[in-house]
Structures are given as structure tokens and as C-alpha cells.
Amino acid sequence: MKPTTSHWGAFSAEVDAEGRLRVEPHPADPAPSPLLGNLGAALDHPTRVARPAVRRGWLENGPGPDDRRGRDEFVEVPWDDVLDRLAAELDRVRTGHGNQAIFGGSYGWASAGRFHHAQSQLHRFLNTIGGFTASRNSYSNGTSSVLLPHVVGDTHAVLRQASTWPTIAEHTELIVAFGGVPEKNVFVTPGGVTVHGTPGHLTRFGGRVALISPLRDDVPSTVDARWYPIRPATDTALMLALAHTLVAEGLHDRGFLDRYCVGYPEFERSLLDKDPEWAAGITGIPAADIVALAREMAAHRTLVTVTWSLQRTEFGEQPVWAGIALAAMLGQIGLPGGGFGHGYGSMGDVGDTGPELRIPHLPQGVNPVGEFIPVARIADLLLHPGESYDYDGEVRRYPDTRLVYWAGGNPFHHHQDLNRLRRAFTRPDTVVVHEPHWTATARHADIVLPATTALEREDLGSGRRDTHVVAMHRIASPAGEARDDYAIFAALAARLGVSGAFTEGRSARQWLEHLYRGWRSEPAFDEFWAAGGLRLPPGREHHTLFADFRADPDAHPLKTPSGRIEITSATVAGFGYPDCPGHPVWLAPTETGPLRLIANQPHTRLHSQLDAGDTSRAGKVAGRERIRLNPADAAARGITTGDVVRVFNNRGACLAGAVLDDALRPGVAQLPTGAWFDPVEDHAGGPLCAHGNPNVLTADIPSSRLSQGCAGQHAAVDVERFDGPLPEVRALRSPIPPQVDRPATVPR
Ligand SMILES: Nc1nc2c(c(=O)[nH]1)N[C@H]1C(S)=C(S)[C@@H](COP(=O)(O)OP(=O)(O)OC[C@H]3O[C@@H](n4cnc5c(=O)[nH]c(N)nc54)[C@H](O)[C@@H]3O)O[C@H]1N2
Ligand SMILES: Nc1nc2c(c(=O)[nH]1)N[C@H]1C(S)=C(S)[C@@H](COP(=O)(O)OP(=O)(O)OC[C@H]3O[C@@H](n4cnc5c(=O)[nH]c(N)nc54)[C@H](O)[C@@H]3O)O[C@H]1N2
Ligand SMILES: [Mo]
């Protein structure tokens, strides 16, 4: 057994005599993630890209827009040939159109390991050949990361310096949890997590939780929770009514608001008609419950938390900003275990106690091209070159993209309105994808280069607040002809005459030693490697910026224009955006439908990764992603558990396997993200994904003109029983026909 790590935990593994992967969680891990069960599919699954492949149309006709992308067949091409063609194409685009015509944002989680981090490798490579158009922010919290600097000065203070779980356990009496604190999400921390402390802290929390969510299971069953089954996308209305009650009953902390905030009076004036009866009609939460909750919040040490999911919606700024305003009115910001929190239950590191240490990473160099897009505007970039859009007070223009280069992400998983994204992907001259697996993104590319997985190479692994740095050993030899992203870029760099700048003359192993030595001298690298890693000194209760601010706001002002919490922001008001005015407001979602679909994170995998793995497949129903429906909604449609259903709206449709569950509020359906997109080309009823990817249903709209953040968490849909002939799921098979020199394999 050899050590390695993943975004969902450290483990040891080996390939046994029958060629199967055996996995053992790290001995120090009290709560190993169920996602470890998916790792077998990383090894030799039929969906592994075995050899470089080029789309037939591109091979025969050369680069250019092409609506056969995603429908054409692939031809396997030897490595040297494909690298020659790709180097020539990169050169054609940069000399003929300029480097801004290369979109290299390449958003995605790739895999753990600091050196072989696919995006870092790609960005470093593209920087050495003159740069690229980048992407900014994340799908995770791209709305908050633009809003928070205006309201509290920076994002880091809220996300990374939050009260730790032990502090919460000691001081917090009531967590008012908008979006809950879902346990399924906290096994994951980008880069890795060796000791999963957060799941235990969460399940052992002894105080009370007010669970505000359309789903009852957004809090562990061990916790003393009262469920407020809110209508999705209406949290801001509830927050405003809670605020209204605090004012009406004189329970708000005037002293705090005067000393630490600006713009409260305007906000208070806007609350006049936002009484609990008003909010009850919008949220579905009875007025009496709203009043009682407001009183309870004022009477206890209360932490108002908002999961990231709430900002991943249309007008997603509002629940975050209103949550901060509500916490400010309680006057507990900066007190241990009180105030505002964002991302508890979204990610393992929020509230974790591990050390906040900068660990080694691959330097990416400097991008000479200044162009970027807000990350979730990818389809607009490709469909609307030259057009202008708003972003955080600026008017920006989309550059003209000729070449799209993706390594370590799956836009046909993460983006919204996948039928629109397919149209967008017809526009560039060339699409290049490095992937271990035949994901839908790989299938929509012209050039697909097989990448190794983290199991097939050596690396250094550690995540934010990790307790260990793991010496990631090679567990298995590369599948087929897969190469490391680094080796692929090194070969391209050599062809483009920038080998030295890219590799600095180092092999991958020499890079690991170099990065390690630049970080620490003791223990020596060889000793560290032989030991399988090292344990970092324990973290201390981190420094919370809001505690300093509370102690002396003049000595420790926030980085906002006023130095205070901006309940009204003159800057944001000055932008004049109707979808994000100067203080929190209630804005109703523009799309309505018979059912509101929650497209949240899957508990059976990380995003789309290893969808073919055992844990992921065990969660499916009739081989499709599982959709949960409230029994009343299901009965009205003649649906029972186990049925295959068609989930649809005017953008698209997918099949899913139904499960009836009264943990959902009526009118709400839940279909997690991550089933590999599986378009049925000639389906009579219009575009259909056979496998259950909810992003065929979500709208490709921004949260607002302020942040242009992802709004994929919700969609207005309807559901019907699917009685037609069942299209098979082909996404978990290879698109390359089996060849004689290779055993024909079928999905398990
Ligand atoms: N509807 C809806 N959509 C959403 C969300 C939502 O809530 N609702 N959530 C959004 C969020 S928060 C996120 S973060 C995104 C996630 O979106 P992504 O991060 O794009 O999703 P992943 O499935 O993690 O994609 C990572 C890809 O990298 C590949 N990979 C792994 N290791 C390597 C490597 O070493 N080299 C290369 N070249 N490739 C590698 C994997 O096989 C996988 O295909 O999805 C977003 N999409
Ligand atoms: N197992 C697993 N864990 C993960 C991930 C994964 O793919 N798998 N992805 C990781 C990543 S990249 C990220 S960014 C985080 C994401 O963290 P989040 O975005 O917080 O996670 P979600 O599961 O999408 O949503 C959390 C809960 O919000 C609730 N919710 C949705 N809409 C509303 C609403 O309008 N109002 C209220 N009150 N509640 C609502 C849903 O019921 C949902 O279960 O998760 C991380 N953790
Ligand atoms: Mo995310």
C-alpha cells in the first residue's frame, strides 16, 4: 500500500493481483469519505481515454467553426503527430489572431496534487507562449466574491477566518442555517484533507439549529434541529421579515449598528412593509414562526449562516447581503460563535481548525494578456464576441475566441443550459481537452489528449487547513498511452521553442524536490518521501478579523470605503443595477414553473468526477441519476419510486430515476449535479439527456450584473412519467469502437 490523497481525503492504495484497486483510508482519519468508493473507476474503466484522439471533421477539414462537435466520430492519432498538429494550430492562432484569441480559463477541480494541478500547468504553459484570455472567480462562490468586498471589505475574512467548529460548540446557542449545514458536502476540501474533523464537529453540535431549507436532510439527523421548509429562492424575504420583527420589537442592537455599520437607516426604512405576514405569503413559513424565530435569535448567541448554494442563484447577492444585515442587527458580529458565517456545510475547511499554511505550488508566471471573463460567462464569450456586458461597475467586451483549451475541468458538467453550451462550442476554430476520461467535454472537443490521474504519478498533496502534506506515491502505471499534463505541455513547449522557459530543465520528480526544498529544509525530501508525508504543527484558533474590528473599528477598519460594514453601499448603488441595488432587497425569481428543481452537489461523488465509480452508480435509479420528489407531487403525476421520469422545461429535458421522499417540501424536486451529460441526438420530443444531468434545465443567466456569478442551483421544471422506449446510457462507455488489439470492454 502506498500513500496518496484526493479532494475527499487521504488514503493508501495498491493494485491487487486481479488488477483491482484496494483502498484504505489514512489511519489518522476519523471520518473517511464515502467517495473513496469511486476510485476503482479511475484505474482502467472503459471511459478512460486510451490514446490521443482527433475529431474526424477537424482532421479532414482543418480548424473552423463546426456544428458537428459533440456528434462527430474520433480517430486515434499517434502522440507525435497530434502534438505536431496542435503546436502548429496554437502558433497559427497566436500569430494570426493574437493570444487573447486563446481561451485558457479552464475552470474546474482537476485532482489533488500541487505540482500536477492541471490548470496551473496549462496557465504556466500558455503564459510562456504569450498568454491567454483567463476566467475570474469560481462557480462555487463567484457571486459572494464580488459582493463581499463592497460589504465587508474582503472575501477572505468571511470564508477563511470564520469561527471554528470548536468555538461554535463552546459559544453558539443557535445556528440559523439558511441552506442548512449539509454533512454530505463537508468531506470535501480542495487539494485534500487528511483528518476529516468537520463531519464530527457538525454531528456533535449540541446547540439548536433552525434549519431553513426546502430539504429536511440538509442537517445531520443527530442535531437538534427545527425545520422551516422554505420555498426555494425566497430566503431574502424571510430575512427581511426577521429584520422587520427585530425593529418592531426593539430587539435590534442600535449601538452596534451606529458604531460598526453604515447605511442602516436606509435599509430600515425599506423594511417598513416587510412584515411577517408579507413574508409568509412568499416563503411558505407561517408568520408566527417568523416572529418566534426573530425573538429567539435576539435572546441567544446566534450564528446566522448562509450556504454558498444560496448565492448560486438569480439575485444571489441578496440572501448573503441580507444575512449580514440581519447578523449586524443582532449585534454579535465579532463575538465568538456569533455573527455571520458563509459556507459552513458547503466545504470542509470552513470552520476547520487545521493550520493555515501556504504549501508549495507551481509558479504560473505572468499572463501578458489582460483579458478575462467572469467564469460563468463562457457560453456568452463564444456566442457573442465583441459584445459588451456589465461587471462590478465596469462595462467590458468579450474578446473573439478562436481556440478553447481545457485541462482539469468539465464545462459540460458545470455550466448551465447545456444545449446552449453545445451551440457555443460550435463557434471556435479548435477545442482542445486533456482528460483522463471521455467526459462530455472531451466528446465536444477536436483534440482529446489522454491525461494520467493522480494515482498514476507522483506529487505533493495538501489542502487548505490540511493537517498533513502527503507524499503522493504512484499507485498504478498510466492507463493506455496517457501522459501527465506536464509531459504534454513540455512536449508542446519544445515544439514552440519555449522548452527551457516551461520546464526550467526539470523532470516532474525534480520539480517536486525543487518545490519541497523551496518550502522547507527539514525533514529532507527523501525522508519526507519515504515517510509518506509529514504532519503539520497543529493550528491555533485563527485570528478573526471581525474580533479586532469589534474591539476597535478605528484601529482595525474593514477594507470597505467607509471602513465599516456597508449595509448600504454607495458604490454598489452608484452602479445603478436594478438586479443589485445599494442595499439588500427582495427580488422574486423571474422564472416560475410547476416545480422548483434544486440542482445541488451530489452526495455520491465530487461533481462529475468518477461518475462511473461504485458509490456513484449505487446511488442511481434505473441507471439514471436519482431525482427526489415529494409524494404529493409524485401522486399528482402518477409517479412512484423506481419510475423513470422525464424532467423538462423549455430549454431541454433529461431522464431521471424517481424516489419519493417527504424530506422535500411540496413543489420542490431535487436532482443533484454530476451525471455525465448523455444527449440523445434524434429524440422526437426535442433535446434529451438520457442520464439525468440537471444542467440541461438550468438557465444560463448570471446572478446579477454586479457579479455575473453562476446561477445554476435552481430551475423551473415539470416532471412526467416516461413510458417511451428507454434510450440506453452511453456516457459511461467509450466513444471509440473496440479494436482487435484491445479487449472489448463493457460498463460494469
Ligand atoms: N446546476 C448546477 N451546476 C453547478 C453547480 C450547482 O450547484 N448547480 N455547482 C458548480 C460548482 S460549485 C462547481 S465547483 C462546478 C464543478 O465543475 P468542475 O470542477 O468542472 O467539475 P469536475 O467534475 O470536478 O471536473 C473536473 C474534471 O477534471 C478531470 N481531471 C481530474 N484530474 C485531472 C488531471 O490530472 N488532468 C486533467 N487534464 N484532468 C483531470 C476530471 O476527470 C473531471 O472531468 O460545477 C458547478 N455547476
Ligand atoms: N459530496 C460532495 N461534496 C461537495 C461537492 C460535491 O460535488 N460532492 N462539491 C464541493 C463544492 S465545489 C462546493 S462549491 C460546495 C457547494 O456547497 P453548497 O453550494 O452549499 O452545496 P449544495 O449541496 O449545492 O447546496 C446546499 C444546500 O442548499 C439548499 N438550498 C438550495 N436552494 C436553496 C434555497 O433557495 N434556500 C435554502 N434555504 N436552501 C437552499 C439545498 O437543499 C442544498 O442541499 O460543496 C462541496 N462539497
Ligand atoms: Mo464549487
Side-chain angles (χ1 to χ4, degrees), residues 554-596:
D554 295 317
H556 305 284
L558 300 181
K559 284 179 250 154
T560 52
S562 61
R564 301 292 191 262
I565 298 168
E566 303 219 344
I567 292 178
T568 301
S569 160
T571 310
V572 175
F575 297 155
Y577 301 144
D579 52 5
C580 188
H583 62 68
V585 293
W586 158 245
L587 297 167
T590 42
E591 242 184 55
T592 53
L595 295 173
R596 193 130 190 108

Side-chain angles (χ1 to χ4, degrees), residues 4-9 11 39 42 48 106-121 188-193 359 407-410 434-437 451-463 472 483-485 606-607 609-610:
T4 186
T5 194
S6 67
H7 297 305
W8 51 91
F11 59 98
L39 281 162
R48 283 300 296 266
S106 187
Y107 181 81
W109 271 56
S111 43
R114 295 298 85 195
F115 173 68
H116 290 288
H117 180 243
Q119 280 77 19
S120 304
Q121 291 286 349
V188 168
T189 299
V193 47
I359 48 163
N410 187 0
H434 294 193
E435 251 295 339
H437 292 272
T452 53
T453 68
L455 296 175
E456 298 162 352
R457 57 199 185 211
E458 298 177 339
D459 214 328
L460 306 173
S462 193
M472 297 172 67
R483 293 187 183 177
D484 297 347
D485 294 291
L606 174 66
H607 314 137
Q609 295 195 30
L610 304 175

Side-chain angles (χ1 to χ4, degrees), residues 411-618:
F412 280 87
H413 154 72
H414 66 232
H415 197 56
Q416 285 54 68
D417 196 350
L418 293 181
N419 291 311
R420 181 172 191 257
L421 187 67
R422 289 191 106 187
R423 292 195 291 282
F425 263 62
T426 67
R427 303 298 289 269
D429 292 348
T430 299
V431 177
V432 189
V433 170
H434 294 193
E435 251 295 339
H437 292 272
W438 278 108
T439 60
T441 301
R443 290 170 206 242
H444 284 79
D446 300 312
I447 299 179
V448 181
L449 301 180
T452 53
T453 68
L455 296 175
E456 298 162 352
R457 57 199 185 211
E458 298 177 339
D459 214 328
L460 306 173
S462 193
R464 301 191 295 239
R465 298 208 182 283
D466 208 337
T467 50
H468 293 65
V469 177
V470 179
M472 297 172 67
H473 285 241
R474 179 179 290 115
I475 311 293
S477 46
E481 295 179 16
R483 293 187 183 177
D484 297 347
D485 294 291
Y486 177 64
I488 300 172
F489 291 127
L492 289 170
R495 282 166 173 78
L496 292 165
V498 292
S499 186
F502 180 70
T503 67
E504 298 179 21
R506 292 188 192 94
S507 67
R509 178 60 181 257
Q510 286 166 336
W511 268 107
L512 299 188
E513 297 184 17
H514 170 76
L515 294 174
Y516 181 88
R517 290 205 186 98
W519 179 60
R520 65 196 298 146
S521 48
E522 287 293 321
F525 179 83
D526 291 341
E527 212 180 302
F528 157 79
W529 193 259
L534 63 89
R535 204 193 162 94
L536 298 167
R540 48 181 182 84
E541 177 62 22
H542 24 279
H543 175 82
T544 80
L545 188 137
F546 288 108
D548 290 346
F549 170 65
R550 186 180 184 98
D552 187 343
D554 295 317
H556 305 284
L558 300 181
K559 284 179 250 154
T560 52
S562 61
R564 301 292 191 262
I565 298 168
E566 303 219 344
I567 292 178
T568 301
S569 160
T571 310
V572 175
F575 297 155
Y577 301 144
D579 52 5
C580 188
H583 62 68
V585 293
W586 158 245
L587 297 167
T590 42
E591 242 184 55
T592 53
L595 295 173
R596 193 130 190 108
L597 184 74
I598 304 235
N600 60 348
Q601 316 301 314
H603 70 281
T604 55
R605 56 185 174 260
L606 174 66
H607 314 137
S608 71
Q609 295 195 30
L610 304 175
D611 187 25
D614 291 348
T615 307
S616 178
R617 279 183 314 119

Side-chain angles (χ1 to χ4, degrees), residues 5 18 42 48 57 76 116 165 220 280 286 304 428 445 488 582 680 710:
T5 194
E18 277 92 61
R48 283 300 296 266
E76 293 186 331
H116 290 288
W165 279 108
V304 177
I488 300 172
V680 181
C710 168

Side-chain angles (χ1 to χ4, degrees), residues 44-100:
D44 60 349
H45 191 268
T47 56
R48 283 300 296 266
V49 183
R51 278 168 280 273
V54 180
R55 187 174 65 79
R56 184 172 292 286
W58 194 93
L59 206 55
E60 289 173 356
N61 310 324
D66 195 336
D67 60 15
R68 282 171 301 168
R69 261 184 211 114
R71 301 174 168 92
D72 211 351
E73 60 179 15
F74 283 93
V75 182
E76 293 186 331
V77 172
W79 267 111
D80 278 339
D81 185 4
V82 80
L83 290 168
D84 289 345
R85 288 170 193 265
L86 176 51
E89 174 60 0
L90 284 163
D91 203 39
R92 181 190 73 86
V93 171
R94 69 170 171 164
T95 51
H97 303 279
N99 278 77
Q100 82 294 334

